[in-house]
Amino acid sequence: MGIIELFLIAVGLSMDAFAVSVCKGLSMKKCTWGKASLVGAYFGIFQAGMPLAGYFLGVQFRDVIRSIDHWVAFVLLGLIGGNMLREALGTEECCQESDEALDVRTMLGLAVATSIDALAVGVTFAFLKVNIVPAVCFIGVITFTLSVAGVKIGNIFGAKYQAKAEVVGGIILIFMGLKILLEHLGVLNFAG
């Protein structure tokens, strides 16, 4: 997997964290870099840790399902991306919190909830033989950066761009899954 594909996956995965970060920024009366960095750290660490856990799970089963690994990657990324699109296009209000809750319990819950998709992506990384340590570090840094930006954007502009960010993230993940499938089927031939 090349750096461009990894970047696109990192951005796609971080869109849930970005959307929640926008909500956090929206609810803050005073947004400091310290608060924004705290939110970014929670999301970045979990977005890096979950694919690592998924990778180790996937390695256990890699030899068993090697012949269908591209289908597994396609289905997992497609489901994750489709779910992001469904949530973004739904009528559900995402910025429901009215306080600035940055306590450990709240942030751990949000970090886990926004990184579950990354666990499944980590499983696909095992099948694709991705160099996992640089990949998860890259995902963590991208998520941290976008989450800090999300807090600041939310504090300045409100929730205006939240749904659009999730739509973009969902589309990216669906296309990455489709690209993996088409490459393995020999329809596309990209050097990565």
Side-chain angles (χ1 to χ4, degrees):
M1 176 173 293
I3 189 74
I4 293 172
E5 289 100 350
L6 185 58
F7 176 76
L8 290 174
I9 286 174
V11 169
L13 286 175
S14 67
M15 286 299 109
D16 278 346
F18 175 80
V20 173
S21 297
V22 168
C23 291
K24 284 293 180 190
L26 180 65
S27 69
M28 289 181 186
K29 292 179 182 120
K30 182 177 181 195
C31 179
T32 65
W33 284 107
K35 289 179 181 179
S37 295
L38 179 65
V39 171
Y42 271 103
F43 291 139
I45 288 168
F46 274 82
Q47 286 286 3
M50 289 295 220
L52 185 62
Y55 176 83
F56 288 118
L57 283 172
V59 166
Q60 303 301 315
F61 302 104
R62 183 171 52 202
D63 293 333
V64 176
I65 57 175
R66 185 177 306 271
S67 63
I68 59 167
D69 61 355
H70 50 285
W71 286 102
V72 171
F74 170 70
V75 169
L76 287 175
L77 290 173
L79 288 173
I80 294 165
N83 188 50
M84 287 178 73
L85 287 173
R86 182 184 56 77
E87 288 175 2
L89 299 174
T91 57
E92 194 175 291
E93 274 292 318
C94 294
C95 293
Q96 294 172 348
E97 293 184 41
S98 59
D99 62 331
E100 305 180 26
L102 295 178
D103 60 280
V104 173
R105 185 176 175 189
T106 299
M107 290 308 300
L108 280 177
L110 290 172
V112 169
T114 58
S115 64
I116 293 296
D117 296 349
L119 182 73
V121 170
V123 172
T124 67
F125 283 174
F127 301 131
L128 300 174
K129 299 178 191 160
V130 171
N131 191 349
I132 194 64
V133 173
V136 297
C137 290
F138 189 68
I139 290 169
V141 168
I142 294 294
T143 302
F144 172 83
T145 304
L146 289 175
S147 296
V148 169
V151 172
K152 288 297 195 176
I153 289 168
N155 191 251
I156 295 168
F157 298 111
K160 187 176 181 181
Y161 301 107
Q162 176 182 351
K164 291 176 184 167
E166 287 201 1
V167 167
V168 169
I171 290 170
I172 287 171
L173 292 177
I174 290 169
F175 278 118
M176 290 307 300
L178 185 59
K179 177 187 172 291
I180 290 166
L181 177 65
L182 294 176
E183 282 179 345
H184 280 275
L185 294 176
V187 175
L188 295 177
N189 186 15
F190 290 114

